[in-house]
Amino acid sequence: METYKKIIEDIYLELKNVDDIGKVANYIPELGNVNDKNFGIHITTIDKNSFGIGDHEKKFSIQSISKILSLTLAYKLEGEALWDRVDVEPSGNPFNSLQQLESDKGIPRNPFINAGAIVISDILVGHFKNPKEDFLSFCKGISNNPTLNYSEKVAQSEKKTGFRNKALCNFIKSFGNIKNDTEKVLDFYFHMCSLRMSCKDLSEIFLYLADDNFLCQKGKRILTESQAKRINAIMLTCGFYDESGEFAFRVGLPGKSGVGGGIVAIHPDKFCITVWSPKLNVKGNSYKGMLFLEKFTSKTESSIF
Amino acid sequence: METYKKIIEDIYLELKNVDDIGKVANYIPELGNVNDKNFGIHITTIDKNSFGIGDHEKKFSIQSISKILSLTLAYKLEGEALWDRVDVEPSGNPFNSLQQLESDKGIPRNPFINAGAIVISDILVGHFKNPKEDFLSFCKGISNNPTLNYSEKVAQSEKKTGFRNKALCNFIKSFGNIKNDTEKVLDFYFHMCSLRMSCKDLSEIFLYLADDNFLCQKGKRILTESQAKRINAIMLTCGFYDESGEFAFRVGLPGKSGVGGGIVAIHPDKFCITVWSPKLNVKGNSYKGMLFLEKFTSKTESSIF
Amino acid sequence: METYKKIIEDIYLELKNVDDIGKVANYIPELGNVNDKNFGIHITTIDKNSFGIGDHEKKFSIQSISKILSLTLAYKLEGEALWDRVDVEPSGNPFNSLQQLESDKGIPRNPFINAGAIVISDILVGHFKNPKEDFLSFCKGISNNPTLNYSEKVAQSEKKTGFRNKALCNFIKSFGNIKNDTEKVLDFYFHMCSLRMSCKDLSEIFLYLADDNFLCQKGKRILTESQAKRINAIMLTCGFYDESGEFAFRVGLPGKSGVGGGIVAIHPDKFCITVWSPKLNVKGNSYKGMLFLEKFTSKTESSIF
Amino acid sequence: METYKKIIEDIYLELKNVDDIGKVANYIPELGNVNDKNFGIHITTIDKNSFGIGDHEKKFSIQSISKILSLTLAYKLEGEALWDRVDVEPSGNPFNSLQQLESDKGIPRNPFINAGAIVISDILVGHFKNPKEDFLSFCKGISNNPTLNYSEKVAQSEKKTGFRNKALCNFIKSFGNIKNDTEKVLDFYFHMCSLRMSCKDLSEIFLYLADDNFLCQKGKRILTESQAKRINAIMLTCGFYDESGEFAFRVGLPGKSGVGGGIVAIHPDKFCITVWSPKLNVKGNSYKGMLFLEKFTSKTESSIF
């Protein structure tokens, strides 16, 4: 941990005042209100050591990072049957594209593009009586973190403006791959994306993807070892939309970004690290976050390749 | 090695007589002449131990696996400037698709789809006076293997029928991303793809991607450590066309397939393993090869995730 | 008229018992309940002579044929400014495709594909307090036909199942090209498509596109001469989705089809003819209707080319 | 004719010095050498009266307008069997797009996009021993015009730079819809496009599309009446690439443009009119030519709608 700590501090200082050419996401109006100077990092190793710096304890809208959690719960419930309804291939297209759905007959390319996460939401809405409450309990239980919660403001903000996601959901339903009422599915989806966590929260909650022997608060495994590996694989190939190849190439870790500016990255058997910086590059991923992680894996030689 | 050996033998016997639902590639007529019962495996560890079984010493047409070698040489020559002419993103499309080139203005998505490998060929044709000879020397030098050679028959067979690749090459040239005469570029490309190697040859030649300290016969590094890692990353995200996600998901290693039925897979810091079985699944990857590797990484717990 | 009459009778008899390889539309469940043996033709000349045969006085769901009427009203209200929000180009794609909208940034290719008709619906919803009532009054007024009405059953049936149209409407709204509430717009759209008319009703109501001097019941022009010509031009290039070229080629008249099995065709300065036969070809146009009109224009030499 | 003459003179004077926002085509280098001030119009009626103004007797590169002539000859030779190899639908895409060919399996959307004209060229190359000579004889024979000829300079210029067309030809051959050697097919295609004619030549040679009773110099019909009508229909729906709808909408006549700046338009049973002005709009059609024809059909009320 001492090596990580020193390297993180150095890169943090180096990047803190770097000219950030990214832009804060504003397609969800509420997201535009964040202070774009926020910059935090937190790492947690599988032996539960941890270190953070900067705004690592401030909560922010984790947005698409939550798609790992909903995928985890759906995978746990459905097992491999899950993959009949969503594929595991990189899309080669932006996160909210409708094009491939037309040729793929409503089967989304992977669970991390919006289309895929909406199908996963449909699965959870079909499983639970109170999907929002039950999903939140599941999340809280993983890392024994009672502070997790939705941002009703952000959820409502996206509900009002999320016409592209409404289009996706209805489009998939026209192919029969949404089973529940679209309003319910989208209400769940928008809430799920509005989850608020800090870098610290995130680097703790995703330890189950780094640690083969991870047990949640109740002493139970979250996923089988094979399932955890497979989610890591999907994160590596699909975690950054049409910049997934670039992240694998430059950083070399399974990861997932959100338009709130957060990035989570996993080193299997070692650690989970999270960076937060709200300004996004043109592909919708945190500009400074990617830069930080590239320098970090390079200096620590912790690419999985 | 003993563990690997035992597991390889077991899976080999299990799969040997399995009903292979794949089909031998016949779009290059000469490829259709291979005996579809061939089945071989060879593993070489970074400490140079090795083990093979079945038809592991028979040479076959490695086809697209050669794209790793041409990429390696071009990367060595051009450094990071290479990525101005070819991207590192999964395409989400079949290996010979022209669609994305139109919107991407002639920049191929990655060096492993045909479009990308043709651009790489153009780079090599521009560098060398005798590109075919010089590329072959480079390949022979890596693993000190004097038996490597092109199959003139296969090269000519593809030359006669490779209209899709001619289309790709001219299409890219119309965007200015091919600098040399298209005939020369394609002649190199078709020869490169016609390289013949055995599983043993392949698992030896690609050790430089597994071993950080690999030195070629002349005692020189092939690539920097960072470059080797980056090629592994591209193999993981793009090595199997629009089945790359599936391979990462099921096998969990950087790899590359060829329509000759070969698959090479790398475990960084551990080994390089090659499987050959000519019948291909609908995505153009060896049916039995993928099955073998899935079982192998599962039993040896050697997914990188 | 006597020539037309004789020819219509002959073709009617020839085709009446022809083996109809088409299929009744069933994507709107209520449409599937129609008797697929219905077959009617009606022609009205600009001097108000008319002739009909078969089921020419039975009302049926005119579906997309109604898009001419909504376009007419919107054109009347907006003038040429209308074309800022919808283009006049053939799409080269199926009627309910979302693909081009993505690259065209929410501007539908033409007012006769669903996307375009939904934008037209938005315009009308924005103009009127009671758009459904006002549109119906407009239609009734054209040919002084008090019997026109919506089919609440068909409108509700599509409302329940029209997920593709909901997707289109939300998708366009995500680009800002729908101004009103999507529910209201779709409610209008589904009602508009549910209009019930007979072949006779249709061949009378569309006389304003054939007759330069057409005056509605109140003695007013519906459109300027130039506007009427332009609607005819759009019908010719876009009236049959991705079979528009085929219709121009085989029939040679501006026309418009609906999935209820109706086809309206206009001969400028001469007549309006309507055919109804519910079984559709694979492109979604009446199989027997197209056959009838091909024979009709060929025998009467009334192609506009 | 007197009315036409007066109106043509008026519009000619009105537009002569209008600010032309178009740009001369330069993708074929030789085409860039034309004087962009050229502006000519010529009309010929079916009773052989004719009138021209401006540069109406200067020859220019007719480029894609020649596709009508090659289509005519192929249609004459093949009859309706022709349509098995090329469709009659507007493409909704730019003139040189490869996208739809991939989904349409090598069948071009229509004979007026480059892909379609290349297939037509293949048909002619297959029919004739000396296709270039025989095609030229055919053209000369239609209007008894011995001055018609190819521009070897333009043909060679395109041969050197026409990589997109080479891509198209090879791509179609990969689907089996080119039967002859691609070099021969392209050599014919580039020569065909290099035909030089004046506005006067053009308005005379295409009279066979306006006049049902047109006989060529040898007293023979060029096409049946039905065939001529069908070519007019394809011109109307497909003659201006992805601006075909706009031309039908604004001008209302079957027509065909070329990147040399020429536009031919037909009024069935009345006349053939040709305009030439080299500056093109963004869709590749003569800016001033379209403007002229819009004003002309509007003032003469000669839209076919």
Side-chain angles (χ1 to χ4, degrees):
Chain A
M1 178 52 78
E2 283 314 299
T3 330
Y4 291 154
K5 192 180 155 183
K6 178 73 178 67
I7 290 173
I8 289 171
E9 280 172 343
D10 287 352
I11 312 176
Y12 174 78
L13 290 172
E14 180 189 344
L15 292 186
K16 200 175 168 358
N17 298 310
V18 118
D19 189 31
D20 189 333
I21 59 172
K23 281 186 187 162
V24 171
N26 58 3
Y27 76 98
I28 305 172
E30 193 58 30
L31 285 186
N33 297 333
V34 78
N35 177 351
D36 65 14
K37 298 276 182 248
N38 280 304
F39 185 32
I41 300 113
H42 199 95
I43 188 170
T44 307
T45 58
I46 64 169
D47 50 11
K48 303 281 162 68
N49 284 316
S50 89
F51 169 72
I53 195 167
D55 305 302
H56 68 116
E57 294 193 293
K58 273 197 203 161
K59 290 188 189 289
F60 60 94
S61 195
I62 70 167
Q63 291 294 318
S64 292
I65 299 175
S66 66
K67 292 172 182 172
I68 313 174
L69 293 163
S70 56
L71 171 62
T72 298
L73 183 50
Y75 201 2
K76 198 178 174 64
L77 294 166
E78 297 275 326
E80 302 304 318
L82 180 66
W83 312 114
D84 296 341
R85 293 187 55 190
V86 59
D87 205 347
V88 296
E89 290 301 327
S91 70
N93 273 313
F95 68 96
N96 56 6
S97 174
L98 281 91
Q99 293 205 9
Q100 288 172 324
L101 280 174
E102 197 151 340
S103 49
D104 293 346
K105 307 206 175 298
I107 305 295
R109 283 290 169 104
N110 66 64
F112 290 151
I113 50 174
N114 291 16
I118 289 171
V119 167
I120 297 291
S121 295
D122 180 56
I123 289 169
L124 297 182
V125 165
H127 260 283
F128 295 110
K129 229 180 174 165
N130 301 301
K132 288 185 284 189
E133 290 72 9
D134 292 337
F135 176 64
L136 195 59
S137 299
F138 170 71
C139 295
K140 285 178 176 173
I142 295 176
S143 56
N144 200 12
N145 185 335
T147 70
L148 300 191
N149 220 333
Y150 301 119
S151 160
E152 200 58 39
K153 240 187 189 169
V154 167
Q156 293 309 329
S157 184
E158 193 170 1
K159 211 170 188 171
K160 251 188 239 152
T161 58
F163 300 109
R164 182 70 78 107
N165 287 321
K166 287 180 196 174
L168 280 169
C169 189
N170 278 290
F171 195 36
I172 302 169
K173 192 165 177 80
S174 77
F175 290 104
N177 198 19
I178 293 288
K179 312 296 183 187
N180 299 285
D181 181 66
T182 57
E183 297 290 322
K184 275 192 202 159
V185 172
L186 288 164
D187 180 64
F188 176 80
Y189 176 74
F190 293 142
H191 276 84
M192 178 195 96
C193 289
S194 80
L195 269 179
R196 291 173 60 75
M197 298 199 201
S198 66
C199 291
K200 182 164 179 292
D201 296 339
L202 285 164
S203 82
E204 287 169 1
I205 203 170
F206 288 117
L207 266 191
Y208 70 91
L209 293 174
D211 179 3
D212 285 352
N213 301 306
F214 183 88
L215 302 177
C216 72
Q217 60 168 140
K218 297 190 179 161
K220 290 191 187 159
R221 293 190 71 94
I222 309 294
L223 293 172
T224 69
E225 197 182 324
S226 154
Q227 286 176 323
K229 283 183 193 313
R230 288 179 164 199
I231 289 184
N232 281 334
I234 306 172
M235 286 167 73
L236 195 106
T237 52
C238 315
F240 294 77
Y241 315 120
D242 48 343
E243 198 173 41
S244 297
E246 186 78 11
F247 190 81
F249 180 85
R250 283 169 48 193
V251 176
L253 294 179
K256 182 79 204 77
S257 65
V259 292
I263 300 180
V264 161
I266 308 289
H267 193 124
D269 300 327
K270 293 202 179 151
F271 59 77
C272 173
I273 188 167
T274 307
V275 193
W276 175 42
S277 167
K279 287 189 173 181
L280 311 180
N281 66 19
V282 286
K283 301 283 191 176
N285 301 310
S286 171
Y287 172 76
K288 220 182 252 184
M290 286 197 62
L291 211 55
F292 177 90
L293 288 168
E294 182 178 4
K295 287 173 186 287
F296 176 75
T297 53
S298 164
K299 292 197 181 170
T300 56
E301 300 193 343
S302 54
S303 149
I304 59 169
F305 301 110
Chain B
M1 177 54 77
E2 284 312 299
T3 331
Y4 291 154
K5 192 179 155 183
K6 178 72 178 66
I7 289 172
I8 289 171
E9 281 172 343
D10 287 352
I11 312 176
Y12 174 78
L13 291 173
E14 180 189 345
L15 292 186
K16 200 174 168 1
N17 297 309
V18 118
D19 189 32
D20 189 334
I21 60 171
K23 280 186 188 166
V24 172
N26 58 5
Y27 76 99
I28 305 174
E30 194 59 31
L31 284 187
N33 297 331
V34 79
N35 178 349
D36 65 14
K37 298 278 182 248
N38 282 303
F39 186 31
I41 299 112
H42 199 95
I43 187 170
T44 307
T45 57
I46 63 168
D47 50 12
K48 302 282 164 64
N49 283 315
S50 89
F51 169 73
I53 195 167
D55 305 301
H56 67 118
E57 294 193 293
K58 274 196 202 161
K59 289 188 189 289
F60 60 92
S61 195
I62 71 167
Q63 291 295 319
S64 293
I65 299 175
S66 67
K67 292 171 182 171
I68 312 174
L69 293 163
S70 57
L71 170 62
T72 298
L73 183 50
Y75 200 3
K76 198 177 173 64
L77 294 165
E78 297 275 327
E80 302 305 317
L82 181 67
W83 312 113
D84 295 341
R85 292 185 56 190
V86 58
D87 205 346
V88 296
E89 289 301 327
S91 69
N93 273 315
F95 68 96
N96 56 7
S97 174
L98 281 93
Q99 293 205 8
Q100 287 172 325
L101 280 172
E102 198 151 338
S103 49
D104 293 346
K105 308 208 175 295
I107 305 296
R109 283 290 168 103
N110 66 66
F112 290 151
I113 50 173
N114 291 15
I118 289 171
V119 168
I120 297 290
S121 295
D122 180 57
I123 288 169
L124 297 181
V125 166
H127 260 284
F128 296 110
K129 229 183 173 161
N130 302 301
K132 286 185 285 190
E133 291 72 9
D134 293 337
F135 176 64
L136 194 59
S137 299
F138 169 72
C139 294
K140 285 177 176 173
I142 296 176
S143 56
N144 200 13
N145 185 337
T147 69
L148 300 193
N149 219 332
Y150 302 119
S151 159
E152 201 57 40
K153 238 187 190 171
V154 168
Q156 293 309 327
S157 184
E158 193 170 2
K159 210 170 188 171
K160 250 187 240 151
T161 57
F163 300 109
R164 181 70 77 109
N165 287 319
K166 288 180 195 174
L168 279 169
C169 189
N170 278 290
F171 195 36
I172 302 168
K173 192 166 177 78
S174 77
F175 290 103
N177 198 19
I178 293 289
K179 313 294 183 189
N180 299 284
D181 181 67
T182 57
E183 296 290 320
K184 275 192 203 157
V185 172
L186 287 164
D187 180 64
F188 176 80
Y189 176 76
F190 293 142
H191 276 84
M192 178 195 96
C193 289
S194 81
L195 270 179
R196 289 173 61 75
M197 298 197 200
S198 66
C199 290
K200 185 166 176 293
D201 296 339
L202 285 164
S203 81
E204 287 169 2
I205 204 171
F206 288 117
L207 267 192
Y208 69 92
L209 292 173
D211 179 3
D212 285 352
N213 300 305
F214 183 88
L215 301 177
C216 72
Q217 60 167 140
K218 298 190 178 160
K220 290 190 186 158
R221 294 190 71 95
I222 309 294
L223 293 172
T224 68
E225 196 183 325
S226 154
Q227 285 176 324
K229 282 184 193 310
R230 288 179 164 200
I231 289 185
N232 281 335
I234 305 172
M235 287 168 72
L236 195 106
T237 52
C238 315
F240 293 78
Y241 315 119
D242 48 343
E243 197 173 44
S244 297
E246 186 79 13
F247 191 81
F249 179 85
R250 283 169 46 192
V251 177
L253 294 178
K256 182 79 204 76
S257 66
V259 291
I263 300 180
V264 162
I266 308 290
H267 192 124
D269 301 326
K270 294 203 178 150
F271 58 77
C272 173
I273 188 166
T274 307
V275 193
W276 175 43
S277 167
K279 288 189 171 178
L280 311 179
N281 66 19
V282 287
K283 301 283 191 178
N285 301 311
S286 173
Y287 172 76
K288 221 182 252 183
M290 287 195 62
L291 210 55
F292 177 89
L293 289 167
E294 181 178 5
K295 286 173 186 287
F296 176 75
T297 53
S298 164
K299 290 195 184 171
T300 57
E301 298 194 342
S302 54
S303 149
I304 59 169
F305 300 111
Chain C
M1 177 52 79
E2 283 313 298
T3 330
Y4 291 154
K5 190 179 156 184
K6 178 72 177 66
I7 290 174
I8 289 170
E9 281 172 343
D10 286 352
I11 312 176
Y12 174 79
L13 291 173
E14 180 190 345
L15 292 186
K16 198 175 168 2
N17 298 308
V18 118
D19 189 30
D20 189 333
I21 59 172
K23 281 186 188 164
V24 171
N26 58 5
Y27 76 98
I28 305 172
E30 193 60 30
L31 285 186
N33 297 331
V34 78
N35 177 351
D36 65 14
K37 298 278 182 247
N38 281 304
F39 185 32
I41 299 113
H42 199 96
I43 188 170
T44 307
T45 56
I46 62 169
D47 51 11
K48 305 281 165 64
N49 285 314
S50 90
F51 169 72
I53 195 167
D55 305 301
H56 67 117
E57 295 193 292
K58 274 196 202 162
K59 290 186 189 289
F60 60 93
S61 194
I62 70 167
Q63 291 294 318
S64 292
I65 299 175
S66 67
K67 293 172 182 170
I68 312 174
L69 293 163
S70 56
L71 170 63
T72 298
L73 182 51
Y75 201 3
K76 198 178 173 63
L77 294 166
E78 298 275 325
E80 302 305 317
L82 181 66
W83 312 113
D84 296 341
R85 293 187 55 191
V86 58
D87 205 345
V88 296
E89 290 300 327
S91 70
N93 273 315
F95 69 96
N96 56 6
S97 174
L98 281 91
Q99 293 205 9
Q100 288 173 324
L101 280 174
E102 197 151 339
S103 50
D104 293 347
K105 307 207 176 298
I107 306 296
R109 282 292 168 103
N110 65 66
F112 290 150
I113 51 173
N114 291 15
I118 289 171
V119 167
I120 297 291
S121 295
D122 180 57
I123 289 169
L124 298 182
V125 165
H127 260 284
F128 296 109
K129 229 181 173 164
N130 302 301
K132 288 186 284 187
E133 291 71 10
D134 293 337
F135 175 65
L136 196 59
S137 298
F138 170 72
C139 295
K140 285 178 178 172
I142 296 177
S143 56
N144 199 13
N145 185 336
T147 71
L148 300 193
N149 219 332
Y150 302 119
S151 160
E152 200 57 40
K153 239 186 187 171
V154 168
Q156 293 310 328
S157 184
E158 194 171 1
K159 211 169 189 172
K160 251 188 240 155
T161 59
F163 300 109
R164 182 69 78 106
N165 287 320
K166 288 180 196 175
L168 279 169
C169 190
N170 279 289
F171 195 36
I172 301 168
K173 191 165 178 81
S174 77
F175 290 103
N177 198 19
I178 292 288
K179 313 295 183 189
N180 299 283
D181 181 66
T182 56
E183 296 290 321
K184 274 192 203 158
V185 172
L186 288 164
D187 180 64
F188 177 81
Y189 176 75
F190 292 143
H191 276 84
M192 177 195 97
C193 289
S194 80
L195 270 178
R196 291 173 60 75
M197 298 197 201
S198 66
C199 290
K200 184 165 178 293
D201 296 338
L202 284 165
S203 82
E204 287 169 2
I205 203 170
F206 288 117
L207 266 192
Y208 70 91
L209 292 174
D211 179 4
D212 285 352
N213 301 305
F214 183 88
L215 302 177
C216 73
Q217 61 168 139
K218 296 190 178 159
K220 289 192 187 158
R221 293 190 72 94
I222 309 294
L223 293 172
T224 69
E225 196 181 326
S226 155
Q227 286 176 324
K229 282 183 192 313
R230 289 178 162 199
I231 289 184
N232 281 335
I234 305 172
M235 286 167 73
L236 195 106
T237 53
C238 315
F240 293 78
Y241 316 120
D242 48 343
E243 199 173 43
S244 297
E246 187 79 12
F247 190 81
F249 179 85
R250 284 168 48 192
V251 176
L253 294 177
K256 182 80 204 78
S257 66
V259 292
I263 300 180
V264 161
I266 307 291
H267 192 122
D269 301 326
K270 294 203 178 148
F271 58 77
C272 173
I273 188 167
T274 306
V275 192
W276 175 42
S277 167
K279 287 189 171 180
L280 311 180
N281 65 20
V282 286
K283 301 283 190 178
N285 301 310
S286 172
Y287 172 76
K288 220 182 251 184
M290 287 196 62
L291 210 55
F292 177 90
L293 288 168
E294 182 178 4
K295 287 173 187 287
F296 176 75
T297 53
S298 164
K299 291 196 182 171
T300 56
E301 299 192 344
S302 53
S303 150
I304 60 169
F305 301 110
Chain D
M1 178 52 78
E2 283 314 298
T3 331
Y4 291 153
K5 192 180 154 182
K6 179 72 178 66
I7 289 173
I8 289 171
E9 281 172 342
D10 287 352
I11 312 177
Y12 175 78
L13 290 172
E14 179 189 345
L15 292 187
K16 200 175 170 358
N17 297 310
V18 119
D19 189 32
D20 190 333
I21 58 171
K23 281 187 186 162
V24 172
N26 58 4
Y27 77 99
I28 305 173
E30 193 59 30
L31 285 186
N33 297 331
V34 78
N35 177 350
D36 66 14
K37 298 276 182 251
N38 281 304
F39 186 32
I41 298 113
H42 198 95
I43 189 170
T44 307
T45 58
I46 62 169
D47 50 12
K48 301 282 163 66
N49 285 314
S50 90
F51 170 72
I53 195 167
D55 305 301
H56 67 116
E57 294 192 292
K58 274 196 201 162
K59 288 187 189 290
F60 60 93
S61 196
I62 71 168
Q63 291 295 318
S64 292
I65 299 175
S66 67
K67 292 171 181 171
I68 312 174
L69 293 163
S70 57
L71 171 62
T72 298
L73 183 50
Y75 201 2
K76 198 177 173 66
L77 294 165
E78 297 275 325
E80 302 305 318
L82 181 66
W83 312 113
D84 295 341
R85 293 187 55 191
V86 58
D87 205 345
V88 296
E89 289 302 326
S91 69
N93 273 314
F95 68 97
N96 56 6
S97 174
L98 280 93
Q99 292 204 8
Q100 287 172 325
L101 280 173
E102 199 151 337
S103 50
D104 293 347
K105 307 207 175 298
I107 305 296
R109 283 291 168 103
N110 66 65
F112 290 150
I113 51 174
N114 291 15
I118 289 171
V119 168
I120 297 290
S121 295
D122 181 58
I123 289 169
L124 297 182
V125 166
H127 260 284
F128 296 110
K129 230 181 172 162
N130 302 300
K132 287 186 284 190
E133 291 72 9
D134 293 338
F135 176 64
L136 195 59
S137 299
F138 170 72
C139 294
K140 285 177 177 174
I142 295 176
S143 57
N144 200 13
N145 185 335
T147 70
L148 300 193
N149 219 334
Y150 301 120
S151 159
E152 201 57 40
K153 238 187 191 171
V154 167
Q156 293 309 329
S157 184
E158 192 171 0
K159 210 171 188 169
K160 250 187 241 152
T161 57
F163 300 109
R164 181 69 79 106
N165 286 321
K166 288 180 196 176
L168 279 170
C169 189
N170 278 290
F171 195 38
I172 302 169
K173 192 165 177 80
S174 78
F175 290 104
N177 197 20
I178 293 288
K179 312 295 183 188
N180 299 284
D181 181 66
T182 57
E183 296 291 321
K184 275 192 202 158
V185 173
L186 287 164
D187 180 65
F188 176 81
Y189 176 75
F190 292 143
H191 276 84
M192 177 195 97
C193 290
S194 80
L195 270 179
R196 289 173 60 75
M197 299 197 200
S198 66
C199 289
K200 183 165 178 290
D201 296 339
L202 286 164
S203 82
E204 286 168 4
I205 203 170
F206 288 117
L207 267 191
Y208 69 91
L209 292 174
D211 178 4
D212 285 351
N213 301 306
F214 183 88
L215 302 177
C216 72
Q217 62 167 142
K218 297 189 178 162
K220 289 189 187 162
R221 294 191 71 96
I222 309 294
L223 293 172
T224 68
E225 196 182 325
S226 154
Q227 286 176 323
K229 283 184 193 312
R230 288 178 164 199
I231 289 184
N232 282 333
I234 305 172
M235 287 167 71
L236 194 106
T237 52
C238 315
F240 293 77
Y241 316 119
D242 47 344
E243 198 174 43
S244 297
E246 186 79 12
F247 190 81
F249 180 85
R250 283 170 46 193
V251 177
L253 294 178
K256 182 78 204 79
S257 65
V259 291
I263 299 180
V264 162
I266 308 291
H267 193 123
D269 301 326
K270 294 202 178 148
F271 60 75
C272 173
I273 188 166
T274 307
V275 193
W276 176 42
S277 167
K279 287 189 173 180
L280 311 180
N281 66 19
V282 287
K283 300 282 191 178
N285 301 310
S286 173
Y287 172 75
K288 219 182 253 185
M290 287 195 62
L291 210 55
F292 177 90
L293 288 168
E294 182 178 4
K295 287 174 185 287
F296 176 75
T297 52
S298 164
K299 290 197 183 171
T300 57
E301 298 193 344
S302 54
S303 149
I304 59 169
F305 300 112

